[in-house]
Amino acid sequence: MQIVRPVGREAAAKKYDILSALTAHALAGDAHRQRLVLRLMSLITTRYNWQRNELSVGQREIARLWCVDERTVKRDMARLRAMGWITVKRQGARGRVSVLGIDLDRLLLDSRPAWPNIGEDYIARMTGREAALGDPEEEAPNVVPFRRSEATPVGQGPWAVIRDRLLAEDPALFDAWFACLVETGQGEGILHLAAPTRFHATYVRTHLLGRLQMAARRADASLHSVRVD
């Protein structure tokens, strides 16, 4: 999936697209999800620095904005960190609040199932297919995908759940980089995977390890790390 970046001449429109994804995701869920997403959106629209990807605001100020107590702020911010939507860029110290970041990639991946509720034009814009919609003669990209059917079956267990999550998030990325990974063991909270080549393992560790680890934690809370050899 092509991730939308709020930069360049169309930055304002891209910001609206990201907020639209959050809105659709919230409305497709229950009251608890709606409240949590609304609170995050309030931080984005009032305190978030889009260019630097920084959110620097104290718990007391957040509590005032949300009209709640600081205990509620701690609980909901912890939930957002566990979801991978908020990351700590610099831990706070005495007299200085923490500097947080927002993982837009993770946010958009999680909200993607709700995009059809907005419309096909939105999906095309967010996935980079907008230009192709008006040109049926446009040729398909010169890409040779991996055949998913050739991937080694994984049976049951956390790795099977993780694979399903990764496939649902981005089928093309899954086929190219995750489908051929094979579980070789698990212990002490670490999931061990084997890649078919050294280059493949290096690429996954460099570019995709964060996504793997997030999917692992969501599939099994006891998994805190993934190693690819």
Side-chain angles (χ1 to χ4, degrees):
M1 183 180 74
Q2 175 178 312
I3 297 298
V4 173
R5 302 293 183 186
V7 296
R9 291 191 301 175
E10 299 180 355
K14 293 174 181 177
K15 292 174 185 177
Y16 276 113
D17 282 339
I18 292 170
L19 292 175
S20 296
L22 277 172
T23 301
H25 178 71
L27 293 174
D30 57 20
H32 297 289
R33 183 199 290 180
Q34 292 172 8
R35 183 168 54 245
L36 181 64
V37 174
L38 176 60
R39 288 172 174 171
L40 175 61
M41 291 175 68
S42 72
L43 293 178
I44 292 175
T45 56
T46 61
R47 296 297 183 189
Y48 181 54
N49 186 318
W50 291 90
Q51 289 186 330
R52 300 174 61 180
N53 184 25
E54 289 186 356
L55 178 64
S56 184
V57 56
Q59 291 182 354
R60 183 177 302 175
E61 289 74 18
I62 296 176
R64 183 172 62 245
L65 175 63
W66 290 358
C67 299
V68 299
D69 55 32
E70 292 187 39
R71 182 176 180 181
T72 299
V73 172
K74 292 180 180 179
R75 181 196 65 209
D76 280 2
M77 294 299 282
R79 289 175 62 190
L80 291 168
R81 289 195 301 272
M83 292 164 61
W85 287 18
I86 283 183
T87 60
V88 178
K89 299 182 68 175
R90 186 169 66 246
Q91 192 67 47
R94 184 181 297 274
R96 189 173 59 188
V97 301
S98 297
V99 177
L100 307 174
I102 296 179
D103 190 336
L104 297 177
D105 291 10
R106 183 75 259 167
L107 183 156
L108 290 173
L109 285 168
D110 287 346
S111 66
R112 188 172 184 175
W115 292 1
N117 298 339
I118 302 176
E120 287 297 323
D121 59 326
Y122 179 83
I123 297 174
R125 185 166 65 251
M126 296 294 281
T127 57
R129 293 189 292 109
E130 190 172 41
L133 288 180
D135 185 5
E137 301 298 327
E138 183 172 350
E139 296 182 359
N142 186 21
V143 176
V144 180
F146 286 88
R147 297 177 61 187
R148 190 179 309 147
S149 60
E150 295 176 354
T152 305
V154 294
Q156 304 299 318
W159 179 229
V161 177
I162 295 168
R163 284 172 54 95
D164 288 343
R165 288 181 181 272
L166 295 170
L167 173 59
E169 288 178 356
D170 194 327
L173 187 69
F174 176 86
D175 286 345
W177 298 105
F178 297 132
C180 55
L181 297 180
V182 178
E183 179 180 357
T184 58
Q186 183 182 152
E188 299 182 352
I190 302 174
L191 175 66
H192 295 270
L193 302 174
T197 66
R198 181 177 299 178
F199 168 79
H200 198 111
T202 300
Y203 186 92
V204 172
R205 287 196 299 265
T206 303
H207 301 284
L208 302 172
L209 188 58
R211 183 173 294 187
L212 262 178
Q213 291 179 334
M214 176 58 64
R217 287 194 293 269
R218 290 184 172 185
D220 188 338
S222 67
L223 294 175
H224 59 77
S225 182
V226 178
R227 292 183 181 175
V228 182
D229 303 312

